[in-house]
Amino acid sequence: MAENNSSSLMEKVISLSKQRGFVFQSSEIYGGLKSAYDYGPLGVELKRNIMNEWWRSMVHEREDVVGIDASIIMHSKVWHASGHLAGFSDPLVDCLISKERFRADKAPRPQPKDELPIECADKGQAKIYLEAIQKRFNIELKRNGKTLYGMKVIDENTMGFFPDDSGKPAETFPYKGYVSPTFGSPFLSDERQFNLMFRSQIGPIDVMGDITAYVEQNKELDGKELRTGIEEIVKKSAVYLRPETAQAMFVQFLNCQQSMSMKVPFGIAQMGKSFRNEVTVEHFIFRSCEFEQMEMEFFVEPGSQKEWLDYWRDRRMEWWQKLANDPSKFRYRAHEKDELAHYADACYDIEYEYPWGFDELEGVASRTDYDLKKHAEHSGAKLSYFDQQKQDPETGKNGWRYTPYVIEPAAGVTRGLLVYLLDAYHEETVPNADGADSSRVVMKLHPRLSPIKVAVLPLVKKEGLPDIAREMVSGFFKAGINARYDEQHSIGKRYRRHDEAGTPYCLTIDGQTKEDGTVTIRDRDTMKQERISKDEALQIIQKRLIES
RNA sequence: GCGAAAGUAGCUCAGCUGGUAGAGCAUAACGUUGCCAACGUUAGGGUCGUCGGUUCAAAUCCGAUCUUUCGCUCCA
């Protein structure tokens, strides 16, 4: 088998995705929309199959997990309680010279009397920046190689340009208290809020009307005051697209627990779309603003979270590996303390070795009781659990009321789809009809993930063979198996086409079928064929799908 | 957001210094063949990402913009 060059594997998978109908660029005929993707005829099947497998293993096959499907738009108080509305808007600043954008709270903070050298990447850049500063601020900094100097912090709010050693500034500027991390530039824009959640307005009356009226009535206000006023108006009817599906499980914790009489430990699972205004989008469908998640919140007794964290990490790892050709490409990595989100006391990332290196596929986090407590606090609901069988560890009395701890396996569907496309892609050298080498591309998707399970192919388009094939196809449909009739082109070409689509089995109807009622079944991976009875074909394929 | 590269037929690409677009594969039809990318004949398909500028003339030069890829930054 020819080894794939990993740098071009991504390109090949993207190209095949488009050609075979797995993934298309969104709005392509209008020039495409930044990092939004559509799932094509095969992609939608693959995505659903991944999600169905997840649902089956996480919900159907478990007595201790129930599912929900919550709305994408939730009460905006949910996001206040979860901390998303605060945490989502980080103040960002642009360097006016280099155009670098960075987070103000993470920037270096030179103190009064400190020099403010601007370290450029090279001499050429230094010259360009020198000119830009001269043009914009009308001061001529000194240049030494790739460093520009002459700026100094005077006090907390002021910096100055010191052209000589006299100690007197030729010009002073307001100082923001920090400089840009890469160049050390103190020439910065104001801090701006970048909302990472998608905001919209609910209600039929456009909020622009209220804003216009407000602005007209408050013409004397300055920019900052106006902004605050407008924010108030907008926020009144603002709704947000969920940035994760998890919050719905916390908010519906009591309803699920009570309606289904669930006893801790138990979980609530959900699959669906989430939305984030990512700062950067990258790697095809790996990170995009609209994405799909498969999340489960597993509620456990306080103190047992470590044990359950390990349990779910292992279960999830097994699941990913079971459906892949190469389990060695998966690993898990414990988060460092400084990497942990504010709500977590431990976290594992399940990572996959993508063409650009190991990167996240699923996070298994121990979220403590943070979320339930926050929602209890903000909503006034009693989001706790009463266990009659247990003793309260503090009072020693029978019956224990506590806020459950939460273990959260949160997987990206879209990332999973990318992983399985990458894992499935194989190029092989196989003999052609004359025995010479020819190459074939085959998507070795797990049969249960394959968009099409079985292709039924009449060897020729005549002698009644198409009728037999179509009859078999409808038999598969009745059994709930996605089959496909295909009569275009030579038989060899049809096999190769279904190799690329990842179809695991091809049934071929030939002249002998009419004589003895047998067909050939061809295996995608081995390319081996056997003759089986036409009437047993459905059973045989059903059996292989279950056992695979 | 910054830097670099790219965008020409469904796909992969060619098109040299400006002169009104080509190949292979793919697609469709007919014929022949009949088990691993067959052959023959024929056909369809591009306002060269978009907008603007220079020019007698722009796929080609210039500017802007959108999109993609890679690197940086970011990823609560």
Side-chain angles (χ1 to χ4, degrees):
Chain A
M1 188 186 90
E3 262 308 305
N4 296 317
N5 181 339
S6 66
S7 63
S8 60
L9 172 62
M10 198 68 182
E11 280 166 43
K12 287 173 179 167
V13 166
I14 292 170
S15 171
L16 182 136
S17 291
K18 185 184 176 183
Q19 240 169 308
R20 286 291 160 219
F22 283 100
V23 184
F24 305 129
Q25 171 81 51
S26 163
S27 320
E28 195 185 74
I29 60 167
Y30 288 104
L33 181 65
K34 198 172 173 134
S35 210
Y37 292 93
D38 295 345
Y39 295 90
L42 295 184
V44 61
E45 302 288 342
L46 174 58
K47 184 154 78 76
R48 280 191 191 159
N49 290 342
I50 292 171
M51 293 170 84
N52 287 342
E53 282 300 312
W54 185 87
W55 194 256
R56 202 159 70 104
S57 89
M58 297 297 274
V59 182
H60 290 173
E61 292 178 358
R62 297 196 64 104
E63 289 179 17
D64 55 358
V65 178
V66 293
I68 60 165
D69 184 21
S71 71
I72 288 173
I73 297 170
M74 299 173 75
H75 201 295
S76 61
K77 283 184 179 166
V78 169
W79 309 115
H80 281 111
S82 68
H84 284 91
L85 263 181
F88 251 101
S89 27
D90 297 312
L92 296 181
V93 178
D94 289 332
C95 168
L96 298 173
I97 307 304
S98 68
K99 305 294 174 214
E100 179 192 9
R101 177 174 289 173
F102 58 93
R103 275 179 63 172
D105 56 345
K106 289 197 174 170
R109 299 182 166 269
Q111 298 304 308
K113 296 197 180 140
D114 284 357
E115 298 263 359
L116 294 170
I118 300 171
E119 303 281 353
C120 305
D122 53 52
K123 266 194 204 172
Q125 195 180 48
K127 283 179 186 167
I128 293 166
Y129 286 179
L130 190 68
E131 209 169 293
I133 293 166
Q134 206 269 328
K135 221 170 172 180
R136 188 153 185 160
F137 299 99
N138 205 22
I139 53 172
E140 186 102 21
L141 293 185
K142 281 169 284 181
R143 184 175 70 82
N144 184 359
K146 56 180 189 172
T147 308
L148 305 177
Y149 60 98
M151 295 301 296
K152 225 173 175 179
V153 183
I154 296 172
D155 61 42
E156 277 172 21
N157 300 312
T158 323
M159 61 183 181
F161 170 51
F162 296 82
D164 48 45
D165 298 334
S166 68
K168 291 221 169 93
E171 193 91 44
T172 60
F173 302 91
Y175 173 58
K176 298 203 184 303
Y178 48 84
V179 296
S180 81
T182 312
F183 301 103
S185 161
F187 300 105
L188 306 171
S189 72
D190 289 334
E191 291 180 13
R192 280 176 292 195
Q193 299 288 323
F194 286 81
N195 202 332
L196 296 180
M197 275 201 287
F198 280 78
R199 180 161 68 187
S200 188
Q201 305 293 132
I202 201 162
I205 305 208
D206 189 4
V207 73
M208 287 307 289
D210 289 345
I211 293 173
T212 311
Y214 172 82
V215 171
E216 272 176 8
Q217 283 160 24
N218 295 282
K219 283 189 176 142
E220 74 287 356
L221 294 182
D222 69 21
K224 206 165 188 180
E225 290 168 318
L226 263 182
R227 202 200 135 87
T228 313
I230 293 169
E231 260 318 303
E232 282 305 308
I233 296 168
V234 170
K235 273 184 182 161
K236 250 187 259 170
S237 59
V239 288
Y240 301 88
L241 302 187
R242 65 184 178 201
E244 59 175 25
T245 59
Q247 295 305 320
M249 279 88 96
F250 301 128
V251 171
Q252 295 292 7
F253 165 77
L254 273 189
N255 280 336
C256 289
Q257 189 260 319
Q258 288 170 0
S259 62
M260 300 300 285
S261 311
M262 302 307 286
K263 291 190 173 65
V264 170
F266 79 97
I268 307 174
Q270 178 172 220
M271 312 186 288
K273 298 243 173 165
S274 296
F275 303 82
R276 296 180 199 181
N277 267 321
E278 295 287 355
V279 180
T280 346
V281 288
E282 59 189 353
H283 297 312
F284 191 40
I285 55 176
F286 179 78
R287 187 192 307 286
S288 49
C289 292
E290 175 179 339
F291 58 104
E292 204 138 2
Q293 293 182 296
M294 308 184 287
E295 292 193 303
M296 197 269 284
E297 307 301 323
F298 198 73
F299 301 95
V300 305
E301 215 178 275
S304 67
Q305 66 269 28
K306 279 207 166 53
E307 194 184 308
W308 280 109
L309 178 65
D310 290 352
Y311 171 86
W312 280 111
R313 177 199 64 199
D314 295 344
R315 293 294 84 69
R316 295 302 307 142
M317 184 59 116
E318 284 164 14
W319 186 85
W320 286 112
Q321 291 180 324
K322 190 185 68 189
L323 293 170
N325 293 299
D326 187 356
S328 73
K329 291 225 171 196
F330 296 82
R331 72 171 188 198
Y332 63 76
R333 186 180 66 80
H335 274 210
E336 303 293 333
K337 279 272 179 290
D338 59 358
E339 224 183 324
L340 287 174
H342 57 281
Y343 49 72
D345 68 359
C347 184
Y348 288 100
D349 272 353
I350 294 178
E351 297 187 326
Y352 181 77
E353 193 176 4
Y354 299 91
W356 63 89
F358 274 102
D359 210 335
E360 189 184 354
L361 172 59
E362 170 162 358
V364 185
S366 173
R367 289 181 77 131
T368 68
D369 56 1
Y370 177 87
D371 300 277
L372 285 180
K373 281 222 165 114
K374 280 283 171 200
H375 284 300
E377 192 183 300
H378 280 75
S379 67
K382 207 172 186 181
L383 300 180
S384 57
Y385 179 78
F386 186 69
D387 190 337
Q388 289 186 317
Q389 312 295 321
K390 289 271 162 65
Q391 286 185 342
D392 189 319
E394 280 177 27
T395 64
K397 285 183 186 160
N398 278 341
W400 181 21
R401 179 169 288 284
Y402 58 85
T403 303
Y405 271 51
V406 175
I407 304 301
E408 174 194 81
V413 178
T414 16
R415 286 180 186 182
L417 192 141
L418 177 59
V419 162
Y420 285 130
L421 284 176
L422 290 166
D423 174 77
Y425 188 92
H426 287 76
E427 280 173 13
E428 295 178 350
T429 303
V430 294
N432 66 10
D434 307 324
D437 281 353
S438 71
S439 70
R440 74 160 183 157
V441 170
V442 52
M443 292 301 284
K444 296 191 174 177
L445 289 166
H446 191 285
R448 284 212 298 270
L449 298 185
S450 292
I452 300 165
K453 307 302 182 195
V454 53
V456 185
L457 318 169
L459 189 60
V460 292
K461 257 190 266 189
K462 54 192 175 190
E463 294 157 21
L465 301 189
D467 296 335
I468 300 173
R470 286 207 162 92
E471 194 188 318
M472 288 189 75
V473 168
S474 64
F476 281 107
F477 288 151
K478 277 180 196 145
I481 292 172
N482 191 20
R484 186 152 191 107
Y485 172 80
D486 195 349
E487 63 172 26
Q488 301 284 26
H489 299 294
S490 73
I491 189 71
K493 205 172 258 187
R494 279 178 273 170
Y495 285 150
R496 295 296 170 88
R497 192 160 53 207
H498 280 286
D499 285 343
E500 290 194 8
T503 307
Y505 309 111
C506 289
L507 295 176
T508 304
I509 319 298
D510 56 19
Q512 200 183 328
T513 309
K514 289 199 291 185
E515 290 164 23
D516 63 7
T518 60
V519 297
T520 61
I521 179 167
R522 182 250 193 197
D523 184 90
R524 175 193 68 197
D525 299 342
T526 63
M527 298 171 73
K528 295 242 169 65
Q529 283 178 284
E530 7 166 358
R531 270 206 106 76
I532 58 170
S533 152
K534 173 167 83 78
D535 300 325
E536 287 169 11
L538 173 60
Q539 273 186 325
I540 289 169
I541 284 176
Q542 265 175 331
K543 195 163 166 244
R544 290 194 188 180
L545 285 175
I546 291 166
E547 287 170 0
S548 62

